[in-house]
Amino acid sequence: MSKCAVAILIVLGLVLLATGCTVPPKGGFDFVEQNAQERIGMRVLWNQGGDEDKAVSEAITSLLQHPLTADDAVQVALLNNRRLQATYEDLGITQAALVQAGLLKNPRFSGNYMPAVEAGPVATAGLELAQDFADLLFIGMRKGIASSEFEASKARVASAVLDKAAETRVAFLEYQAAEQFLEMRKLSADAAAASFEVSQKLFDAGNITKLASASERASLSQAKLDLANAQAAILSLRERLNSLMGLWGPQATDWRSAGRLPDLPKDELDVKNIERQAIKKSLDLSKARAKADAAAGRAGLIRWTTVLSDFDVGVGVNRDDNASWHVGPVFSLQIPIFDQGQAKNAAAVAELRRTLQEYAAEAVELRSAARAARDRLVAARERAAYCRDVLLPVRNEVLHESQLQYNAMQIGVFQLLSSRHDVIDAGIQYVEELRDYWIARANVELILAGRNKSASQELSGSSSSRSSSERKEH
Amino acid sequence: MLTRREMILASGAVLAGGAVAFVPGRPVLAAQPVESAEDNKHSSDGHGGNQPPGEANRDYKPVITLNGATLPYKVVGGVKVYHLIAEEVEHEFAPGLTASCWGYNGRVHGPTIEASEGDRIRVYVTNRLPESTTVHWHGVLLPSGMDGVGGLSQRAIQPGETFKYEWTFRQHGTFMYHSHHDEMTQMGLGLMGMIVVHPRKPVGPLPDRDFAYMLSEWKIVPGTRRPDPNEMTDFNILTLNGRCFPGTAPIVAKLGERVRLRFGNLSAMDHHPIHLHGYNFKLVATDGGEIPESAQWPETTVLVPVGSTRTVEFVADNPGDWAIHCHMTHHVMNQMGHGIPNMIGVNPGNLDQKIQKLLPDYMTMGQNGMGDMGDMGMPLPPNSIPMVGGKGPYDYITMGGMFTILKVRETLDNYDDPGWYEIPSGTRADLARPDDLLRDGISTSGRPG
Ligand SMILES: [Cu+2]
């Protein structure tokens, strides 16, 4: 055996050392799982085709068989939303990147052969096996960067779970409210129909003008239109939920919601230290931090690689023109004359500074968002409570007194029905406020769970349940 | 009666916010000097003033103010002294309806002032209202300074003040007194009363039963407890002596008695044609004086215009229970709402069931008329008597407002309400018997032939 064989063995040994790792199938998901469990009390599963998947689909089927609560809808979405499942694959990708970062570059084998010229004695040939040893030096740094990226990815995926949960919860609250709106719009239309019927009978008896009867008919038409709008709103909200819950076919049409929005809960979330809580739990900050870590690592790496990259060391055999073989080390390296790496360095440092600024910005924005969410929650509770404790009772009192005045023949049936209509309107307003309260609460919960993203930003402006005619005049 | 000193004390107490304290130097203000030259001139013209004060049951048979009272007086130095206190009064119009009104001496309306022609009278008026007031003696011939027109004949009586009016009655007849200061408010809230002056030497037969009535009108929204004096047209409570049926006491007379009814009308906006069933009567006097017998014409309805009195007489020779009421149909309703849709002739079908899904207490009303409304027993606003009439001996009496009953009986132990008249058998309208129908060829299914 020669020195040659020794060198080859060394290289192979290093190669084997570096190829020891493989990519685990659900790397990082335990973090996501644990987060979902701890932060929102929900179960998540990564469906990658297996026995578990069957269990998941059974769990979904059984959830859908009973009237759904908001929690149920969220659970179904977390188990069944394909876009969320797609997000999990980000973990696989970054996990793979981490593994990749730990791999050595493959050794390079090169050779040459020069046939003998007529004048020359023999052909010359050479073989080289070389390994980039600079790569070997940077492997730790690369792994550090990839591991930061992996951390960021885990935070991102965990955030995606929270987002999906919150989005589904809000969509479900909207849907529940819409069901109640529909119920009340039906009542409203019934009241308008009754009013119109009375007016028709009065007209038939010759007691009122066509004008008076037509006004009632106009009110009825408006009420019917409002009812149609309420029906349409339900359908579109249901479809949004179907898409969030990943449902199609009979599953999409068969599920029912578990009735009305819950009343205001007695106990409010503890929002006294919402800023501190939000900062402590923030996945956005974790992500930003991991990004900054990665950027710092990258900046360090770039600084080194500009001076030391493509540093190949290996062994070569050469046959010279005497036809004798020589074995000896070979190496090659870059000479940083033209590109001394200043530009790359500057870019990496700028990138690092950017990530640090973003981290700080994230924190400031988070604090503000936390305060805003808290304020919205407090105000929404006050409005809903006011509706429940003042507006609705007083509207009912008006109705009660109207009934008495009707009995006393001081007001007519139209005014009485109009008072009834006002009670329905107050009911609609209460449900609106109650819905807004639960949405505000979902937003606070989302922030407290570690995510700064309004779960309801898509809703604003799209969800008004008020009729276009608002109040009809009497 | 209060003594003069007590009156001063009372007015002082009012000013002192209820504290019992003598307030020295608070003068009792005179509307005019006690004896004016003009007054003396009138009081010496042979119509009275020099005679001793007339006494009830000696010089005259007292007038009866049903549901009301007669103002007591005392005689001081040959002058009849009265005291009216204008104040807020909780007044019941009929069982179930009470309101905060303005009246005199705790009554709505004020007690009837009764005197004899030639009486010199002195009326103290204490103002316990929140607003200044005056009293005008409607139809009474008296010195200009005693006429009680705020600003014109005197300065208004401020809250807490007591004014003195004094004159000699040089006429007899039926008159009225009422506030003549911010009349719309003060009369709308009830500040009025009757004045009856008896003749010294009556001409013609004297009445056995002599009744005085003040007619007035109010706006009291069901569920409120104060009349609305701002109302101009939509009055919903019409009263006889401040009461509406079924809160009115019946007029009771013995068969053959001569009955005199004196009506004064101080309604804000309405005249009242008062109609008596079972009789005709003669209009014998107005607030302008007696009508000569040759000019009295027989009537069954006497129109009592706003700001007038009308006196009618008849002999109660027709026994029974007889309605007497204003003939304006809206004036015999209680708290009718006038802004509701006309429901007559509406066939509700299954409408009630439909509406009851939204309003469980709903019921279509008025589609066959209002007659059944009074005794339906539906929950009503508190303190209200909408549509209410009274229970009669044979059915519900679907009347309210300016409605009462003249009860004429052959025998009476006293003039308390004798109960319902027992109509002799065979003289009361009832269901037609088949043999009657047959005999007279009446077909209930065909056309009248
Ligand atoms: Cu009348």
Side-chain angles (χ1 to χ4, degrees), chain A residues 35-294:
Chain A
N35 255 288
Q37 189 57 248
E38 278 173 10
R39 290 168 188 248
I40 54 172
M42 287 288 162
R43 207 155 61 100
V44 289
L45 281 170
W46 190 346
N47 311 346
Q48 287 183 322
D51 294 346
E52 243 183 359
D53 291 14
K54 206 182 156 214
V56 166
S57 102
E58 273 165 13
I60 291 167
T61 308
S62 107
L63 275 173
L64 292 175
Q65 266 161 7
H66 305 284
L68 291 183
T69 63
D71 282 349
D72 296 338
V74 168
Q75 186 60 76
V76 171
L78 293 187
L79 293 176
N80 206 34
N81 184 290
R82 291 309 168 110
R83 213 162 276 286
L84 188 60
Q85 294 292 329
T87 311
Y88 298 160
E89 298 300 341
D90 286 358
L91 285 176
I93 293 164
T94 45
Q95 168 92 21
L98 176 58
V99 172
Q100 178 71 48
L103 294 181
L104 272 180
K105 276 188 192 165
N106 291 326
R108 204 164 54 236
F109 182 75
S110 58
N112 61 69
Y113 172 74
M114 302 286 170
V117 291
E118 261 176 58
V122 287
T124 60
L127 288 173
E128 269 179 42
L129 183 62
Q131 177 68 36
D132 184 346
F133 272 85
D135 191 49
L136 194 61
L137 292 176
F138 300 139
I139 202 163
M141 290 173 91
R142 273 210 321 263
K143 275 178 86 171
I145 296 167
S147 145
S148 292
E149 292 286 7
F150 186 45
E151 286 306 313
S153 183
K154 287 199 291 190
R156 195 165 54 235
V157 173
S159 296
V161 170
L162 297 188
D163 291 355
K164 200 55 76 182
E167 197 188 339
T168 307
R169 182 174 299 281
V170 168
F172 190 81
L173 293 168
E174 290 259 291
Y175 179 77
Q176 266 184 311
E179 281 189 326
Q180 286 178 257
F181 294 145
L182 179 63
E183 204 179 300
M184 288 185 283
R185 286 281 169 225
K186 277 184 189 150
L187 275 182
S188 220
D190 287 350
S195 220
F196 173 58
E197 197 175 333
V198 176
S199 81
Q200 246 182 340
K201 286 176 184 294
L202 279 162
F203 180 77
D204 291 345
N207 298 7
I208 60 168
T209 59
K210 190 116 191 163
L211 167 64
S213 176
S215 303
E216 292 302 325
R217 190 174 186 166
S219 300
L220 173 59
S221 320
Q222 188 62 57
K224 281 182 172 171
L225 190 60
D226 292 342
L227 177 59
N229 274 327
Q231 274 158 341
I234 275 224
L235 290 179
S236 86
L237 287 166
R238 190 178 171 94
E239 278 320 319
R240 197 170 78 188
L241 270 173
N242 277 335
S243 113
L244 284 166
M245 292 193 291
L247 301 179
W248 54 280
Q251 277 193 328
T253 50
D254 290 353
W255 62 267
R256 284 178 300 115
S257 84
R260 302 176 163 204
L261 287 169
D263 194 11
L264 284 179
K266 250 219 200 97
D267 300 318
E268 193 45 273
L269 296 173
D270 181 12
V271 288
K272 241 181 276 152
N273 302 314
I274 189 167
E275 282 183 57
R276 212 170 59 207
Q277 293 276 22
I279 294 282
K280 204 170 102 189
K281 286 270 194 157
S282 176
L283 289 169
D284 301 291
L285 285 178
S286 306
K287 190 178 80 185
R289 191 183 181 87
K291 285 277 183 197
D293 287 347

Side-chain angles (χ1 to χ4, degrees), chain B residues 290-420:
Chain B
E290 279 168 9
I291 299 171
E293 205 183 339
S294 58
Q296 296 172 2
W297 69 14
E299 273 283 20
T300 65
T301 299
V302 56
L303 179 66
V304 189
V306 176
S308 303
T309 74
R310 293 289 182 268
T311 301
V312 302
E313 280 184 20
F314 60 95
V315 175
D317 54 6
N318 193 2
D321 283 347
W322 303 104
I324 174 166
H325 60 92
C326 175
H327 216 288
M328 292 195 182
T329 55
H330 280 266
H331 291 182
V332 285
M333 289 295 277
N334 284 329
Q335 291 189 306
M336 175 70 203
H338 299 126
I340 56 171
N342 176 10
M343 299 300 288
I344 300 289
V346 171
N347 173 15
N350 64 348
L351 188 66
D352 284 18
Q353 290 96 300
K354 283 187 194 167
I355 297 184
Q356 275 159 12
K357 283 180 198 152
L358 297 154
L359 300 160
D361 298 333
Y362 177 80
M363 186 179 152
T364 299
M365 294 193 302
Q367 71 273 26
N368 301 321
M370 304 285 169
D372 295 337
M373 294 299 119
D375 55 352
M376 280 205 321
M378 294 204 296
L380 294 173
N383 193 43
S384 66
I385 50 168
M387 315 295 141
V388 169
K391 213 172 148 45
Y394 305 108
D395 213 334
Y396 194 77
I397 302 172
T398 57
M399 307 291 272
M402 261 182 202
F403 178 92
T404 189
I405 301 166
L406 167 67
K407 299 192 172 187
V408 178
R409 300 288 186 273
E410 279 177 66
T411 54
L412 280 176
D413 295 334
N414 54 46
Y415 288 112
D416 293 344
D417 184 350
W420 301 114

Side-chain angles (χ1 to χ4, degrees), chain A residues 26-36 44 46 91 150 154:
Chain A
K26 290 187 181 179
F29 193 69
D30 48 349
F31 171 84
V32 175
E33 224 171 352
Q34 195 188 334
N35 255 288
V44 289
W46 190 346
L91 285 176
F150 186 45
K154 287 199 291 190

Side-chain angles (χ1 to χ4, degrees), chain B residues 20 52 77 89 102 177 183-184 216 226 237 297 322 382 393 421 445-446:
Chain B
V20 183
V89 175
W102 287 2
Y177 66 93
E183 282 193 343
M184 184 204 83
S216 57
R226 194 182 297 276
I237 289 288
W297 69 14
W322 303 104
Y421 181 64
S445 52

Side-chain angles (χ1 to χ4, degrees), chain B residues 16-56:
Chain B
V20 183
F22 176 67
V23 181
R26 185 84 209 162
V28 175
L29 296 163
Q32 275 291 105
V34 171
E35 293 281 332
S36 74
E38 195 183 2
D39 199 17
N40 280 335
K41 192 185 82 189
H42 284 300
S43 59
S44 57
D45 66 358
H47 286 283
N50 301 322
Q51 304 182 51
E55 234 178 78

Side-chain angles (χ1 to χ4, degrees), chain A residues 295-446:
Chain A
R298 225 170 265 128
L301 182 62
I302 282 169
R303 198 159 48 238
W304 283 104
T305 50
T306 49
V307 290
L308 196 70
S309 65
D310 300 332
F311 175 63
D312 292 357
V313 177
V315 60
V317 287
N318 252 338
R319 192 180 70 159
D320 61 17
D321 44 8
N322 293 324
S324 56
W325 288 90
H326 306 272
V327 178
V330 293
F331 72 94
S332 73
L333 77 166
Q334 268 191 60
I335 304 163
I337 296 172
F338 306 115
D339 176 6
Q340 295 175 344
Q342 296 99 323
K344 275 190 197 164
N345 261 322
V349 170
E351 179 66 27
L352 171 59
R353 280 203 302 266
R354 184 171 78 177
T355 55
L356 289 173
Q357 292 291 4
E358 272 172 357
Y359 177 78
E362 195 76 55
V364 170
E365 284 164 9
L366 174 57
R367 283 177 181 275
S368 168
R371 290 192 302 271
R374 174 200 59 201
D375 295 346
R376 270 201 300 277
L377 179 70
V378 170
R381 169 178 274 273
E382 273 174 15
R383 285 200 310 274
Y386 186 82
C387 258
R388 181 194 59 190
D389 301 336
V390 179
L391 182 67
L392 265 177
V394 85
R395 278 285 173 217
N396 274 306
E397 191 187 338
V398 167
L399 176 60
H400 173 74
E401 293 299 328
S402 297
Q403 179 73 57
L404 292 183
Q405 292 288 341
Y406 171 82
N407 292 351
M409 299 195 86
Q410 302 297 308
I411 64 171
V413 57
F414 298 116
Q415 201 179 334
L416 178 62
L417 283 167
S418 163
S419 295
R420 182 68 181 92
H421 189 90
D422 289 345
V423 170
I424 298 168
D425 269 2
I428 287 174
Q429 187 144 14
Y430 173 54
V431 172
E432 274 180 356
E433 302 298 355
L434 191 59
R435 175 200 62 188
D436 290 353
Y437 166 78
W438 283 110
I439 290 174
R441 189 178 165 108
N443 274 321
V444 166
E445 281 169 341
L446 183 58

